[in-house]
Amino acid sequence: MPRLNALDHPLVRHFDASFGLDQRSESRESISGLSAPHWWKQKTSRWRGAATDHSTVGTSTVWLCAAGVRRQGDTDDFYAAFMRDVTRSGPQPWLPTEEDLLAGKVEDKILALDAWKLQIHCGALALLAESLQSPSETFTLEFPAPSRTSSRAAIGKLSMSIESVDVDGVELGEVFLVASVLDRKQIKAVDLAVQIARAALQSDAEVWHSTTYTDDAYAFSALIDPAARAYSEELSRTGNLPVESVPGGLRIGLRAHYARKHGLVDAQVEGSSVLSLCGYWFVPTADHTDLETCSECSQRHDQMGVV
């Protein structure tokens, strides 16, 4: 089942708008005669609904609990039927159950995490835009842990700079990203943020080079994805993130690598990683025939002969 609050339905859209941050309760209409809990009318076109933000559904929480169709003068009219049922059986059948409330809390956490990922993604692109404008400077961004509260204590920091490099006579931009851990208790969240930031700049994991910078900081470098450059420039120019630019993770297994025979079969069976001739650690698989072969591995393989 899809999430009901994500359905593209006129009543759901009206419900979202009527309880938006900029809306006041004075503009809403109550259902007369029902007070335990208090109900708000939801009306758009022929659709009708009943919503409540009473303490029975939680603090700072609102639920659209019932919906139907307007049939004025008919016993099946939504409000006539709803008031009749609540008066006869009480409000409990229409209120969210414990399972509903738990599902709502889980969904709130998921939405908070998605919003946090989007902030990290946009933050990385914003740093890229600033770095492209001033290549000689280093720009930094501190970020909090994903949370449903307003807590903004920083758990990590991203520092970025850009250098021009010559690749086969073409001048390209190489990004240098330093990720610092400010709260060791949140190191998993910091690791996730770094993955999202790196993916925003260059999603191919094999392009990145990494090293330990200090005990609490890690340095990464990679050639900038031209698409990431375009996204960052549009974000800087318009303040809007292009719809095709979304938070994601690093893509692995995009190239086939050469590795020494010793331990290769065991690694395939156990799913452990091996060191390629180019220095990239990867998990070998039997199905690699459709992958592009790493050019650096191929060059070293030709120089060394069969290994």
Side-chain angles (χ1 to χ4, degrees):
M1 289 286 292
R3 299 202 315 268
L4 296 182
N5 65 338
L7 293 179
D8 186 20
H9 188 280
L11 192 61
V12 175
R13 294 197 298 269
H14 174 78
F15 170 68
D16 288 340
S18 64
F19 287 93
L21 294 177
D22 58 344
Q23 295 298 317
R24 300 175 60 87
S25 60
E26 290 83 353
S27 62
R28 306 185 193 116
E29 182 181 358
S30 299
I31 299 180
S32 301
L34 298 180
S35 58
H38 183 87
W39 295 94
W40 297 103
K41 288 184 178 180
Q42 299 291 286
K43 299 191 292 186
T44 179
S45 184
R46 65 191 181 97
W47 301 102
R48 298 292 182 267
T52 183
D53 54 1
H54 192 269
S55 59
T56 55
V57 297
T59 306
S60 302
T61 303
V62 58
W63 286 72
L64 177 63
C65 298
V69 178
R70 175 182 180 273
R71 294 188 175 94
Q72 191 171 8
D74 195 313
T75 56
D76 288 335
D77 175 73
F78 171 73
Y79 285 122
F82 181 72
M83 292 189 67
R84 183 174 62 247
D85 290 346
V86 172
T87 301
R88 181 176 62 241
S89 304
Q92 202 59 41
W94 301 102
L95 295 174
T97 64
E98 289 297 325
E99 290 79 5
D100 293 327
L101 295 174
L102 178 59
K105 292 180 180 179
V106 172
E107 186 169 301
D108 285 345
K109 288 185 177 180
I110 293 174
L111 292 175
L113 180 60
D114 288 343
W116 178 79
K117 289 180 179 180
L118 184 59
Q119 287 179 324
I120 300 297
H121 180 81
C122 290
L125 291 177
L127 284 181
L128 177 60
E130 290 184 301
S131 299
L132 289 170
Q133 292 177 3
S134 303
S136 60
E137 298 184 34
T138 298
F139 297 89
T140 61
L141 168 71
E142 293 187 352
F143 56 89
S147 173
R148 292 175 295 166
T149 68
S150 58
S151 174
R152 306 301 295 175
I155 63 169
K157 181 174 69 174
L158 299 175
S159 301
M160 188 183 301
S161 60
I162 299 292
E163 287 189 8
S164 295
V165 294
D166 185 279
V167 179
D168 298 328
V170 178
E171 186 174 313
L172 300 176
E174 184 174 14
V175 60
F176 291 87
L177 181 69
V178 177
S180 304
V181 181
L182 303 180
D183 184 351
R184 298 292 299 180
K185 295 180 181 179
Q186 296 284 354
I187 192 167
K188 289 185 177 180
V190 175
D191 286 342
L192 178 57
V194 174
Q195 291 271 357
I196 294 170
R198 290 169 61 195
L201 306 171
Q202 172 56 258
S203 61
D204 187 348
E206 299 179 25
V207 174
W208 284 94
H209 300 280
S210 61
T211 183
T212 302
Y213 190 66
T214 65
D215 289 341
D216 292 315
Y218 303 87
F220 306 90
S221 63
L223 294 178
I224 305 168
D225 186 341
R229 180 191 290 263
Y231 297 153
S232 70
E233 291 173 348
E234 181 171 344
L235 179 63
S236 176
R237 184 178 65 257
T238 67
N240 297 316
L241 183 69
V243 294
E244 60 269 26
S245 179
V246 295
L250 294 171
R251 296 179 297 162
I252 61 175
L254 300 181
R255 293 177 180 83
H257 293 270
Y258 284 102
R260 297 182 182 276
K261 289 183 179 179
H262 179 70
L264 193 58
V265 175
D266 290 340
Q268 286 181 329
V269 173
E270 298 173 2
S272 56
S273 59
V274 296
L275 183 63
S276 69
L277 298 185
C278 70
Y280 176 75
W281 286 91
F282 72 103
V283 178
T285 63
D287 185 16
H288 60 271
T289 54
D290 293 333
L291 297 178
E292 175 188 350
T293 302
C294 172
S295 58
E296 188 173 348
C297 276
S298 297
Q299 183 179 2
R300 295 191 180 190
H301 179 268
D302 293 342
Q303 292 172 348
M304 298 171 59
V306 178
V307 294

